[in-house]
Amino acid sequence: MHFARLFVPLHRVMKEVTFIRQNIDKWHQAEATVESIAEVQPTDLADVYIDITSDLAFAQTHYPESKITRYLNNLASALHNEVYRSRRQPWSRLLTFWTREMPLIMWEARRELGISFVVFLVSALIGMLSQLLDPEFCRIILGDSYVDMTLQNIANGTPMAVYDGEAEDSMFGLITLNNVKVSFFTFALGVFTSLGTGFILFQNGVMLGSFQTFFAQHGLLWQSALAVWLHGTLEISAIIIAGAAGIAMGNGWLFPGTYPRLTSFRRGARRGMKIVVGTVPVFVLAGFIESFATRHVEWPDWLRLGIILASLTFVVYYFIILPRKKGKSEIA
């Protein structure tokens, strides 16, 4: 009986020590933020404040009488005063989001981006294999009317005619709106944990894999690839990035770490929302290319391939290389 009474406080002490070790560097950075407040962006300050108040809530729940709880309370109070102090937003705020904040968010979400890419890639391979095993599989995914229309276009010698069925300007509006809706929907399903977002990635991956294999089976792989990836390089990349946003939100709920589950979910949702907002210009550009360029199958292959490579270069640099540079410089 006496041993049990002694063991519980010791167990709590060990948990508190672990909690401090896991977060002490972050708390020191928060102190440095308060001391150099004039150089800190408002959104960065808000993120630090959310982190510290989450740690404070955890400490108040588990170690209400501890010195570390009083320390975090004082630190949170100092940050609170700075967050809610009236300060004018600089006109450069929008530029800062695209040049600094977005790359740093993508660096933090690099694991989620990798998971999203793998899920999509595996799904595309499943779609490809399914189409190879059953040439009628694409009818399940794309629908009979779409497949029959495409077969008729192939018979007419215009396999990519689906891309010039409407006026360019109206097509641009409809495609862009649909793409943005898909992006936000992919992110929003993260509220049902990462499985919801994973389902959208799986669905789109299988569709792409079966679609490209369908054209390959009709001897049109190169021609279809040039048309599809002319806009698809940006469009598919943006869907994968939106998938990372949904996974970030879903993982916030599934893996809260030292934060209360609801707090962790809110942090993941906020980070995910910023990521998905960052995909909007990519979807707009993809919609523009699909509406005004994809229909021109008469353009030389080198020109269309050049657009594809330029799009791929932009995606890799802005969403992978630049975030890595920014992330490494922040750590240094």
Side-chain angles (χ1 to χ4, degrees):
M1 178 67 70
H2 294 292
F3 177 74
R5 288 178 179 174
L6 289 173
F7 178 75
V8 172
L10 179 61
H11 178 63
R12 289 177 180 172
V13 168
M14 294 304 296
K15 288 181 65 177
E16 182 179 354
V17 170
T18 301
F19 172 66
I20 293 172
R21 286 178 177 174
Q22 288 177 341
N23 296 285
I24 189 65
D25 291 338
K26 178 175 63 179
W27 298 338
H28 287 163
Q29 290 177 2
E31 290 178 0
T33 297
V34 174
E35 293 173 359
S36 57
I37 198 67
E39 303 173 2
V40 180
Q41 294 293 327
T43 52
D44 294 336
L45 178 61
D47 288 340
V48 173
Y49 177 63
I50 291 173
D51 280 344
I52 296 303
T53 52
S54 298
D55 290 342
L56 173 60
F58 182 87
Q60 288 174 331
T61 301
H62 297 278
Y63 327 112
E65 304 299 327
S66 172
K67 291 182 179 179
I68 199 63
T69 303
R70 292 193 293 272
Y71 162 77
L72 289 172
N73 185 65
N74 292 335
L75 183 56
S77 297
L79 288 165
H80 178 277
N81 293 335
E82 297 297 338
V83 168
Y84 291 97
R85 178 178 296 174
S86 176
R87 297 195 302 174
R88 296 182 63 184
Q89 293 283 344
W91 286 104
S92 61
R93 172 70 186 86
L94 188 61
L95 179 62
T96 302
F97 174 79
W98 296 110
T99 58
R100 181 176 182 274
E101 188 172 349
M102 185 65 185
L104 286 176
I105 292 172
M106 291 308 303
W107 171 249
E108 294 175 3
R110 60 192 181 278
R111 182 173 177 271
E112 289 87 348
L113 181 62
I115 294 172
S116 182
F117 174 76
V118 170
V119 170
F120 190 91
L121 179 61
V122 171
S123 303
L125 292 175
I126 291 173
M128 183 186 304
L129 180 61
S130 300
Q131 181 64 26
L132 287 172
L133 294 175
D134 180 9
E136 297 297 309
F137 176 77
C138 58
R139 293 184 177 275
I140 302 174
I141 302 301
L142 303 172
D144 287 331
S145 59
Y146 185 88
V147 173
D148 290 338
M149 177 192 66
T150 304
L151 288 172
Q152 185 61 49
N153 289 338
I154 292 174
N156 295 336
T158 56
M160 299 293 111
V162 66
Y163 292 112
D164 61 2
E166 295 185 37
E168 294 172 334
D169 51 353
S170 61
M171 188 176 177
F172 171 61
L174 290 173
I175 288 175
T176 301
L177 179 61
N178 180 71
N179 287 344
V180 172
K181 285 170 60 179
V182 169
S183 172
F184 277 88
F185 187 63
T186 302
F187 162 67
L189 281 187
V191 75
F192 300 109
T193 73
S194 308
L195 296 178
T197 295
F199 173 75
I200 298 297
L201 291 170
F202 176 80
Q203 187 180 47
N204 281 273
V206 170
M207 185 181 300
L208 177 65
S210 62
F211 181 77
Q212 287 279 227
T213 306
F214 167 78
F215 278 103
Q217 290 170 329
H218 289 81
L220 296 166
L221 178 60
W222 177 250
Q223 188 174 347
S224 67
L226 281 179
V228 170
W229 290 102
L230 193 65
H231 61 274
T233 302
L234 294 175
E235 183 178 310
I236 297 302
S237 297
I239 290 175
I240 293 172
I241 294 165
I247 293 172
M249 179 166 64
N251 283 354
W253 180 261
L254 290 174
F255 310 109
T258 60
Y259 299 106
R261 194 173 298 276
L262 184 58
T263 300
S264 178
F265 174 75
R266 288 173 177 169
R267 293 179 71 250
R270 183 179 181 188
R271 184 173 56 157
M273 178 56 74
K274 290 180 179 180
I275 294 173
V276 81
V277 167
T279 67
V280 172
V282 181
F283 275 122
V284 172
L285 182 56
F288 179 86
I289 294 174
E290 184 172 358
S291 304
F292 293 92
T294 302
R295 65 181 63 209
H296 292 290
V297 294
E298 76 280 2
W299 286 3
D301 289 357
W302 65 265
L303 177 58
R304 292 192 288 170
L305 186 60
I307 295 174
I308 292 172
L309 293 177
S311 299
L312 181 61
T313 300
F314 163 74
V315 169
V316 171
Y317 178 77
Y318 186 75
F319 291 102
I320 298 177
I321 296 176
L322 182 60
R324 189 174 190 277
K325 288 182 178 180
K326 293 287 185 180
K328 294 292 186 180
S329 65
E330 287 289 318
I331 294 174

